[in-house]
Amino acid sequence: MLARFGCVVAAAFTLVGVTGGFLTSRNASGVAGCIGLASMFPQKLFWPNTTTYINESTPKALKVIRETNSPFAVRSGGHMPVPGAASTDNGIMIAMTNINTRNLIHNQSIAQLGPGQIWQDVYDWISAYDLGVAGGRYGQVGVGGLLTGGGINYFGNRFGWSFNSIVQYEVVVADSSILQVNASSHPDLFWALKGGSNNFGIVTRFDMKTFPVTTAYVGGIVWIPDALPAFLEAVGNFVQPGGGSEDPLVAINPAIALTPANGTVEPTNIVFYQGNETAPATLANFSVIPGTLFNDTGVRPSWISLPAELNQPAFAARTSRQLFWSVGIKPTQAAINLANVTIVGGALSQLQHIPDLTLTLAYQPITKAWLAAARASGGDAIDLDPADGGFISILISATWSHATDDADINGFMRSATSTLIQQAKAANLYYPFITLNDAGRGQDPYPLTSRQAALN
C-alpha cells in the first residue's frame, strides 16, 4: 500500500525544523505532522520546491497524522483542476499516485483497481479483455475521486452511479486499521463510502463489477450559435418520457460553451451508444439540428475511443483558474430553458469584461432507470428514490486566468445559481440534489434524507 506524501507548509520551514519564526497556531499541527513523517521516513519526504518524494505505507502515515493532529488531504488520480481541491495548505497531502492496482478476479467478473490512476489507464487495460467498468467519462478523471463521490458514467441507465458497481473496498481507517469493507463486513461503512466522499477512511482499492462491451457509436458535435433554440428543444425532447433518455444503451452530455467577452455561444453534445448501430434512433433529435460546425460521431471498434478522445490536458489544466458548480432541475423543457436564460444569458451580460473567461453549462441527464439501477444494486448514501422520477444534474464550469477576476466570477456563480434555484422552486422545476463530484465551494451535497443526515 504505497503512497506519496507531501508536506505543504510555509516555505520557511525546513525538513528538520522551523526557521524564520513563522510557526503559528494555524500551521503548527501541520508542521508537527511533517516532522513526524520525516522522522519515521528519513530521506523519503518531499517538501515544497524539492524533487524528492516518498513511497511508503498509508497506515503508518495516518498514525503520525493522528498523533500530531495534522491537517491533511488525499489525492487520487489528480484530475480535479479546481484550486484547493484535493490539496491542503499548512498540512500533509497523501498522493495515491503509486497505488495503481489493476487485477481481474472471479473469472474476470471483478476488477480490483487502485485509486491513484486515471480512468484511461484502466480502460486501456480492461478493454483488452473485451470488458468495461462504469468509470469516468473523460479519460483523465481520477479513479479514487470519482468512485468516492458518485460517478456519472456512460452506463448509468444499466448500473447506476459508478460506485454502485463496487462490491468491496479496501480502506485504511483513522486508527490505521486496514479493513475489507463490503455488504456483509462493515455494512454501514460500505453504505457510507458510496457517496460519502473520503470522509470515512482512505480507500486503497476498489473492487468493481465488470461487464462485456466492445463497439459503440460515439463522438462529439458542435453547432453554430443560431442552432441554440433547436439544440435546447432536442435536449428537452430527449429527457421527456419516451424521448430516448431511458434507453439502457445511451448516454449524452449536452452543453453550451460560451465566451462572454465576444458573445460566442456554441451548443455541443457528446454522445455514446453501446453497440454497432450507425444511426441510433434514440439520438435522432440531435442528428437533425441544422448548422453543424463539427461532427465526428460514428461506430468505433472500441468504446474506449470516446474517453480517449476526451483525455485532453485542457480538461484538467493546472495553468488556469477553474470553478465548478452543481444544481438539480427537473427534466422538462421549461427547466432547460430557464437554466439557459439564467446562466448563459446572465454570464453574457455580467461577465463580458473578463477577456479570457470561458463558461460551460452542461445538462447531465440522470434518469429514473439510472436511479432504479442504483437501488437494485443495494443502495447508497445518495439514496434518491426512482419513484420521484429522474432529473438533470446541471454542471456549470468556468475557466479564466487572473486572480483579480475571482471575486466577480465567484459572485456570479453564487448569485446566478441562487436565482436559478429560486425561480425553479417557484415553478416546481427544482430537484433538490447537488452532485458531489461537481459541487462548488460552500455547496452542501448531503442534506436530503434522514439517512443522509448521518453523513453530516
Side-chain angles (χ1 to χ4, degrees):
M1 211 171 307
L2 302 178
R4 175 184 296 180
F5 307 106
C7 281
V8 185
V9 294
F13 301 133
T14 69
L15 189 61
V16 295
V18 180
T19 63
F22 290 100
L23 183 61
T24 70
S25 59
R26 181 172 180 268
N27 54 36
S29 58
V31 174
C34 289
I35 293 173
L37 284 174
S39 176
M40 180 172 286
F41 309 120
Q43 308 303 317
K44 295 182 180 180
L45 192 81
F46 75 92
W47 295 68
N49 304 315
T50 65
T51 57
T52 56
Y53 58 89
I54 181 175
N55 293 327
E56 259 299 348
S57 73
T58 303
K60 290 181 180 179
L62 274 184
K63 182 175 185 294
V64 173
I65 290 168
R66 185 179 69 252
E67 290 174 349
T68 58
N69 196 31
S70 297
F72 74 99
V74 182
R75 190 193 73 192
S76 61
H79 154 259
M80 178 57 73
V82 177
S87 61
T88 182
D89 292 331
N90 303 305
I92 296 167
M93 186 180 78
I94 301 177
M96 312 298 282
T97 310
N98 294 327
I99 305 182
N100 51 16
T101 306
R102 291 191 291 273
N103 187 37
L104 287 169
I105 61 173
H106 300 323
N107 295 321
Q108 301 184 349
S109 66
I110 302 295
Q112 295 183 313
L113 304 175
Q117 55 202 318
I118 62 173
W119 283 107
Q120 195 61 49
D121 294 335
V122 174
Y123 297 154
D124 289 341
W125 162 73
I126 204 167
S127 64
Y129 301 91
D130 291 338
L131 295 172
V133 288
R137 295 169 297 173
Y138 292 69
Q140 82 285 357
V141 170
V143 168
L146 182 91
L147 290 179
T148 53
I152 296 178
N153 61 86
Y154 294 126
F155 307 97
N157 280 349
R158 295 173 61 194
F159 305 115
W161 306 99
S162 294
F163 58 46
N164 291 126
S165 293
I166 297 173
V167 297
Q168 181 165 282
Y169 300 84
E170 181 181 77
V171 187
V172 182
V173 293
D175 66 359
S176 297
S177 299
I178 303 173
L179 305 180
Q180 303 300 319
V181 177
N182 53 54
S184 301
S185 173
H186 312 285
D188 286 346
L189 182 56
F190 184 65
W191 169 83
L193 287 169
K194 293 188 174 187
S197 192
N198 60 352
N199 295 307
F200 303 96
I202 298 177
V203 180
T204 52
R205 196 189 71 233
F206 301 88
D207 294 356
M208 291 187 73
K209 293 178 182 178
T210 67
F211 50 87
V213 58
T214 52
T215 59
Y217 175 91
V218 302
I221 314 169
V222 181
W223 291 275
I224 62 175
D226 288 346
L228 181 59
F231 167 82
L232 294 171
E233 183 179 0
V235 176
N237 289 335
F238 180 81
V239 299
Q240 292 300 306
S245 63
E246 300 281 340
D247 188 321
L249 303 180
V250 76
I252 66 171
N253 188 18
I256 305 168
L258 61 144
T259 306
N262 60 21
T264 300
V265 176
E266 290 184 338
T268 70
N269 197 9
I270 296 169
V271 301
F272 179 96
Y273 196 88
Q274 185 180 336
N276 56 12
E277 289 193 38
T278 57
T282 299
L283 299 170
N285 286 330
F286 296 99
S287 63
V288 299
I289 298 174
T292 303
L293 288 174
F294 172 85
N295 186 341
D296 72 347
T297 56
V299 175
R300 312 290 168 81
S302 176
W303 69 279
I304 71 167
S305 63
L306 182 56
E309 287 181 20
L310 299 174
N311 187 22
Q312 302 294 328
F315 294 117
R318 305 292 177 193
T319 56
S320 300
R321 310 183 73 77
Q322 298 201 28
L323 181 66
F324 292 169
W325 214 267
S326 176
V327 177
I329 59 173
K330 291 184 177 180
T332 69
Q333 189 69 63
I336 290 165
N337 293 342
L338 177 62
N340 171 63
V341 170
T342 307
I343 305 302
V344 175
L348 289 173
S349 64
Q350 299 175 44
L351 299 176
Q352 72 273 18
H353 62 287
I354 302 176
D356 60 350
L357 169 67
T358 59
L359 189 143
T360 301
L361 168 65
Y363 297 95
Q364 303 175 116
I366 308 297
T367 65
K368 182 177 180 178
W370 182 308
L371 301 180
R375 280 276 176 97
S377 75
D380 50 63
I382 289 179
D383 196 32
L384 299 178
D385 191 346
D388 295 332
F391 66 101
I392 296 174
S393 177
I394 293 287
L395 168 60
I396 310 162
S397 58
T399 303
W400 68 101
S401 296
H402 304 292
T404 51
D405 296 318
D406 287 4
D408 286 350
I409 296 169
N410 279 274
F412 170 79
M413 284 288 200
R414 289 189 178 89
S415 64
T417 54
S418 177
T419 298
L420 173 59
I421 291 170
Q422 290 173 9
Q423 294 183 356
K425 285 181 176 179
N428 195 29
L429 300 174
Y430 179 64
Y431 189 96
F433 182 72
I434 295 170
T435 301
L436 176 59
N437 293 133
D438 298 338
R441 180 171 294 181
Q443 289 196 286
D444 186 353
Y446 296 125
L448 283 180
T449 68
S450 57
R451 197 174 186 202
Q452 284 176 314
L455 297 175
N456 287 339

